[in-house]
Amino acid sequence: MDKGLGAGIGDIISHFQNSSCSDGVQEPCIWASPGGACKIDIGKQIFCNRSLNMKNIVAVGFDMDYTLAQYKPETFESLAYDGTVRKLVYDLGYPEELLEWSFDWKYMVRGLVLDKKRGNILKMDRHKYVKVAYHGFREMSKEEKVEAYGNTLRRDAFDEPDYALIDTLFSLAEAYLFAQLVDFMDNNPGKVSKSTDYVRMYKDVRAAVDLCHRDGTLKQMVAKDPKTYINEDRSIVPMLKMLRESGRSTFLVTNSLWDYTTIVMNFLCGLHTLDGGITRNSDWLQYFDVVITGSAKPGFFHEDNRANLFQVEPESGMLLNTDNGTPMPQVGDISPGLLLKEKNGTCRIFQGGSVGHLHKLLSIESSSQVLYVGDHIYGDILRSKKVLGWRTMLVVPELEREVELLWELRDLRKKLHLLRNERDLIEDQIHHLKWSLKSEGIDVDEQRKMCTRMDDLEYQSDKARLSHQEAQRECHQKFHKVWGQLMKTGYQNSRFAHQVERFACLYTSQVSNLSLYSPDKYYRPSEDFMPHEFDIIPL
């Protein structure tokens, strides 16, 4: 039983028999609306790892990129890939034939690990055992995996600097490009400098990505046409309104700067015209108490961070000095509009600073009173949970399809369980027969019968093994033809799932799923089970 599903089989069936309460794009249905409090589709449920009583939460915060703003991988990731390739060619001297390459945005998944030294892409379980491995795009054999990762006296931690973690959706394009470069170097040794190895190539890819960010190439394209690159979610504004009406503060902490933040948030929260356009203004600020841009997470979450906090003037983007968030007297003239907005108590906008500034601005007395919602397991969730003790919710867009497939494949998963038990039973019988054949006093006829029985069991064992492997392969490829299930590696939770379980109090497929639940809900996890309990306690 998957941890945190929090619903019985009957409830799950009803979730699929009842449509979700959304009425399409016209009028989103939330918990607080007249038609709310209905059955929630399993793909939009919020799953709980640790008990969380929303009545104890006084402030709810959000990341922007990939949390409130869900980018379309087929357009945005392709844009990032193309920009990175151009930087490699024109800025870092790679062959021009790279410009002819294309990007398969469905190939890579989160939770993978790049081995920079060997040019391998790995998927491992929660115990850090490598279960799926590719060198570039070539699948590694079992022997190759054992040779590279299983023949050491000391377990590898699979961490930086020798490895890179693909833990954000934005990292998928660079992982794909790295695999392409590995194959390119292996197959075209004369076209790559002799001083270039796999580690150098990875560093170049990262440098090219940074160049794309630094010159604003990606964000300029998104700013020109947000609808092409960002999914619209009409439930975000009703969700924010419901949280604020329930008496909670809301805040935004993003690494993006003000000029880009206001464009994206205006697209997500702005008024839609009759022709489908967006009215551009700063009305979206009414849904937040504090907005912090250029936060430089994860460093922002360290209380000993001494970064200066500047106030942002929204119309000009001008930065003004503050004394821990309090406006400082300015030398010379000051915009009267800024003082007026401060007096009226509307949303305050800042750049930089640290979590200490945020706690003061929101009058937070205890870090456990804050719920922070983000998409980055390390940049958003791990630091805020481990360092501060904030309550956390991780957004995992891939989860919606994953749980729906789990439901569709429930019969196949039962078959896998039965086949595994059958293999265990046959193997136990074979072991017992082999042991019995060593015993003294067995006559020739009895030995002959036992050997015949042994041959029959060996045949059954091979047949069961092949059937089991075929069913495993079928189940694996239903989720992803290369990497399989996001949250599983074989029968174990994947490394990604392990991180989700450790650091995310809640996790869900999209941020607006919060709107489907009471703002005072008590989230409770399902009971944990150890292996010795599964065959004793009926599930």
Side-chain angles (χ1 to χ4, degrees):
M1 181 175 180
D2 290 333
K3 186 180 188 299
L5 279 178
I9 293 297
D11 292 331
I12 293 175
I13 292 173
S14 67
H15 282 313
F16 276 89
Q17 291 175 337
N18 289 274
S19 61
S20 63
C21 63
S22 174
D23 294 323
V25 297
Q26 296 179 0
E27 198 63 44
C29 182
I30 64 170
W31 180 87
S33 65
C38 61
K39 292 290 184 181
I40 302 170
D41 186 277
I42 193 171
K44 297 187 181 300
Q45 288 181 37
I46 294 175
F47 304 102
C48 179
N49 286 319
R50 274 171 295 285
S51 297
L52 193 160
N53 189 347
M54 286 295 291
K55 288 184 177 180
N56 296 328
I57 300 298
V58 301
V60 181
F62 302 90
D63 178 36
M64 185 180 76
D65 297 312
Y66 288 104
T67 299
L68 289 171
Q70 282 296 325
Y71 292 94
K72 300 177 181 179
E74 65 273 24
T75 55
F76 184 76
E77 300 303 333
S78 297
L79 180 69
Y81 172 87
D82 292 340
T84 303
V85 169
R86 285 195 295 271
K87 297 296 182 186
L88 283 172
V89 173
Y90 297 125
D91 292 73
L92 298 174
Y94 277 72
E96 288 194 6
E97 60 193 275
L98 270 64
L99 297 172
E100 301 173 5
W101 290 359
S102 59
F103 171 54
D104 180 0
W105 60 271
K106 295 181 179 179
Y107 185 87
M108 294 294 179
V109 298
R110 280 203 286 181
L112 302 178
V113 177
L114 301 190
D115 183 340
K116 301 177 192 177
K117 287 186 174 181
R118 299 181 178 94
N120 300 336
I121 298 98
L122 317 173
K123 186 181 180 189
M124 57 191 69
D125 64 20
R126 65 191 178 99
H127 303 294
K128 297 186 180 180
Y129 285 105
V130 176
K131 295 298 181 70
V132 185
Y134 279 72
H135 178 75
F137 292 104
R138 178 184 63 81
E139 185 173 10
M140 296 173 63
S141 67
K142 183 177 180 180
E143 292 73 24
E144 287 177 309
K145 286 187 290 186
V146 171
E147 177 65 26
Y149 306 107
N151 280 342
T152 58
L153 294 175
R154 184 177 178 181
R155 287 292 309 282
D156 201 322
F158 295 100
D159 290 326
E160 294 283 1
D162 295 334
Y163 298 88
L165 306 179
I166 306 304
D167 52 9
T168 68
L169 291 170
F170 190 78
S171 302
L172 302 185
E174 63 188 67
Y176 189 83
L177 182 53
F178 177 69
Q180 285 180 305
L181 287 170
V182 168
D183 278 1
F184 181 77
M185 189 174 82
D186 290 349
N187 298 325
N188 304 277
K191 293 185 178 181
V192 179
S193 170
K194 292 182 179 180
S195 62
T196 301
D197 57 9
Y198 300 133
V199 174
R200 179 73 258 172
M201 285 195 311
Y202 178 78
K203 288 181 179 178
D204 287 344
V205 170
R206 283 298 317 151
V209 171
D210 291 340
L211 284 171
C212 287
H213 283 292
R214 198 174 303 146
D215 66 10
T217 303
L218 299 180
K219 292 184 177 180
Q220 286 172 8
M221 293 294 292
V222 175
K224 287 179 183 177
D225 186 14
K227 193 171 185 177
T228 298
Y229 301 102
I230 304 174
N231 289 312
E232 290 186 65
D233 188 343
R234 300 289 183 88
S235 296
I236 287 178
V237 168
M239 174 194 71
L240 293 170
K241 283 183 176 179
M242 185 175 72
L243 288 171
R244 292 175 64 78
E245 288 170 2
S246 70
R248 290 166 178 83
S249 300
T250 53
F251 65 90
L252 178 70
V253 176
T254 174
N255 285 352
S256 295
L257 297 178
W258 168 250
D259 55 349
Y260 184 72
T261 299
T262 190
I263 290 172
V264 172
M265 291 305 300
N266 184 75
F267 171 76
L268 293 171
C269 301
L271 295 174
H272 292 251
T273 59
L274 293 176
D275 61 357
I278 303 291
T279 56
R280 296 208 168 191
N281 52 48
S282 296
D283 287 352
W284 65 271
L285 290 170
Q286 67 184 294
Y287 306 121
F288 296 93
D289 294 280
V290 172
V291 170
I292 296 182
T293 63
S295 61
K297 294 177 294 182
F300 177 86
F301 294 121
H302 288 277
E303 290 190 300
D304 57 355
N305 183 352
R306 293 292 181 262
N308 290 326
L309 183 70
F310 299 95
Q311 188 162 11
V312 178
E313 203 287 310
E315 294 181 6
S316 67
M318 181 175 66
L319 300 182
L320 301 173
N321 291 318
T322 71
D323 182 7
N324 289 323
T326 302
M328 294 176 64
Q330 308 292 313
V331 176
D333 294 333
I334 183 171
S335 168
L338 179 63
L339 290 174
L340 178 62
K341 290 179 182 180
E342 189 68 31
K343 289 178 181 177
N344 288 341
T346 56
C347 176
R348 291 168 290 177
I349 312 159
F350 299 94
Q351 179 175 309
S354 69
V355 70
H357 294 124
L358 180 64
H359 285 170
K360 182 179 179 182
L361 289 167
L362 295 173
S363 301
I364 301 297
E365 296 177 357
S366 170
S367 58
S368 62
Q369 295 176 322
V370 179
L371 172 64
Y372 187 65
V373 186
D375 72 288
H376 191 172
I377 195 74
Y378 291 97
D380 292 323
I381 303 302
L382 186 150
R383 293 294 182 184
S384 60
K385 179 69 180 175
K386 197 171 182 179
V387 176
L388 296 175
W390 278 5
R391 308 312 303 272
T392 54
M393 185 169 93
L394 182 70
V395 174
V396 186
E398 310 96 312
L399 190 64
E400 186 166 356
R401 178 177 176 273
E402 179 123 334
V403 295
E404 289 173 356
L405 271 175
L406 282 172
W407 174 254
E408 292 173 14
L409 299 175
R410 60 195 182 279
D411 290 337
L412 179 57
R413 287 164 62 85
K414 289 177 184 176
K415 178 183 176 182
L416 277 169
H417 181 73
L418 293 174
L419 285 170
R420 200 180 191 202
N421 288 345
E422 181 184 354
R423 288 185 66 183
D424 285 343
L425 180 61
I426 294 172
E427 287 170 3
D428 284 344
Q429 291 177 324
I430 291 173
H431 296 156
H432 188 265
L433 269 178
K434 286 182 176 179
W435 189 267
S436 298
L437 283 168
K438 296 177 183 178
S439 302
E440 296 179 1
I442 302 178
D443 59 42
V444 175
D445 288 339
E446 186 65 23
Q447 279 188 335
R448 189 180 299 111
K449 289 179 182 178
M450 292 174 72
C451 287
T452 302
R453 175 62 177 158
M454 178 78 73
D455 291 340
D456 182 51
L457 286 173
E458 293 282 7
Y459 172 77
Q460 292 181 39
S461 178
D462 288 341
K463 185 178 178 181
R465 176 178 55 82
L466 292 173
S467 297
H468 186 219
Q469 289 176 346
E470 180 59 32
Q472 277 185 308
R473 191 177 303 110
E474 180 185 353
C475 187
H476 177 94
Q477 293 181 348
K478 289 284 187 181
F479 289 93
H480 192 284
K481 290 188 178 298
V482 177
W483 307 109
Q485 193 175 338
L486 178 71
M487 296 290 189
K488 282 281 188 291
T489 306
Y491 284 95
Q492 296 286 318
N493 284 348
S494 64
R495 188 181 187 185
F496 180 75
H498 183 54
Q499 297 286 359
V500 172
E501 189 175 40
R502 286 182 66 194
F503 299 113
C505 301
L506 308 174
Y507 63 101
T508 191
S509 61
Q510 56 189 21
V511 66
S512 58
N513 293 344
L514 270 173
S515 69
L516 304 177
Y517 293 81
S518 164
D520 292 328
K521 181 174 177 60
Y522 198 136
Y523 293 94
R524 296 179 175 90
S526 60
E527 182 181 352
D528 288 343
F529 289 98
M530 290 192 69
H532 69 274
E533 297 178 286
F534 276 105
D535 293 329
I536 300 173
I537 303 173
L539 303 180

